[in-house]
Amino acid sequence: MKKVFTTTPKQDGFRMPGEHEPHSEIWMAWPERTDNWRNGAKPAQRVFADVAKQISKTTPVTMLVSSEQYDNAVSRLPDDIRVLEISTDDSWMRDIGATYVTNDKGERRGVDWEFNAWGGFVDGLYSPWNRDDQVAQKMCEAIRDSRYRAPIVLEGGSIHVDGEGTLYTTEECLLHESRNPDLSKEELTAVLCEHLNVDKVIWLPRGLYNDETNGHVDNILHVVKPGEVVLTWCEDENDPQYEISREAYDYLSSQTDAKGRNIIVHKLPMPGPLFMSAEEAAGIDIAEGMEREAGERLAASYANYLITNKQIVLPLLDERYDNDVKAILEDIYPGYEVNGIPAREILLGGGNIHCITQQVPKI
């Protein structure tokens, strides 16, 4: 068993690399919850497999799967994707996996946050969530990396870093009563700075409209590189996202990052608005917590893509905008391959490609 440190990454000289830095592997988890994924999760499993295959062209992939689904997952995934039997409660690897930090000596450690299913008993999406809360520890054990157990509730999708001292998050999520109600904004900032070794936290007011994660930053914004981000943009004045996007843009435009740079903001068109169809809703088992009803607005965003080893894996969500967004990202990321995956099945479960992946940095 590897060591659990009682110090902090900042004290030990470790920092969280930006997503644009090199990766040794990407971790995912196989979907199977029938109260979240329609038709026995078979459509979602096909798309998760497509995402894993695309990532594996540049980065090795590890897929976690339950004992019940092990044979099924192995049969649906190519041989170069490692399948590990590790129990989860659902398949949002970004939020349940370890957040990795590295130092300049070629060492790597995981940060293991407390997880409470996006809100615990206040407004969490399911219970129990204990298997999800164990995933970060099991991930570190499997990779043989030591870890820190952080003292706050936090999901990986609620933070983005630039690798040079700046962290982006939202007040809507981290200051929500269901996360860390006993901590002030200043106290949370201090914990984030200690556990990710950042110098400045940029607090967007809100995340994407109707996002059941209480507004994760990774569904409205992505860090391109230090001093540069993309932001979900809405042109319809009657859409609730219109005001949220402008509020975020104005805020980002008024900020500098940890190195004193003005932040360049690229606008990504918002798909839709998209809604769950009656047929899609009919295929989902009824359960408390998650709203999966016909007509429910889906929290769709092109910002929810993955950067991995000179590749962008992009969710394709709306034929009206897919090609435009691909062209924007190809322009923003010269030298990168931008690959789109039809991702509505992931969206129906409440997130997208960034939400179902977690990177392990190369050392």
Side-chain angles (χ1 to χ4, degrees), residues 155-218:
E155 306 95 39
S158 69
I159 55 170
H160 265 310
V161 299
D162 68 356
E164 293 188 2
T166 309
L167 181 144
Y168 298 82
T169 189
T170 68
E171 293 182 349
E172 180 184 357
C173 181
L174 287 202
L175 300 185
H176 196 275
E177 62 177 352
S178 65
R179 297 310 197 278
N180 300 284
D182 298 333
L183 296 181
S184 67
K185 183 177 177 181
E186 292 70 30
E187 289 167 329
L188 274 170
T189 297
V191 173
L192 293 169
C193 289
E194 279 295 324
H195 283 80
L196 298 169
N197 200 354
V198 295
D199 303 309
K200 183 168 185 176
V201 178
I202 292 180
W203 293 86
L204 273 69
R206 292 181 281 175
L208 202 73
Y209 175 70
N210 207 39
D211 185 341
E212 63 189 3
T213 65
N214 305 115
H216 274 187
V217 75
D218 73 346

Side-chain angles (χ1 to χ4, degrees), residues 106-124:
E107 297 174 306
R108 180 177 62 205
R109 296 174 185 170
V111 179
D112 173 6
W113 311 99
E114 294 178 34
F115 179 78
N116 72 354
W118 308 275
F121 295 115
V122 176
D123 66 347

Side-chain angles (χ1 to χ4, degrees), residues 10 14 37 61 69 87 142 152 181 195 223-224 263-264 279 295 316:
K10 189 163 196 169
F14 284 74
W37 307 103
V61 176
Q69 283 285 319
S87 301
I152 60 170
H195 283 80
V223 176
V224 176
I263 299 164
I264 298 166
E279 180 192 356
L316 300 179

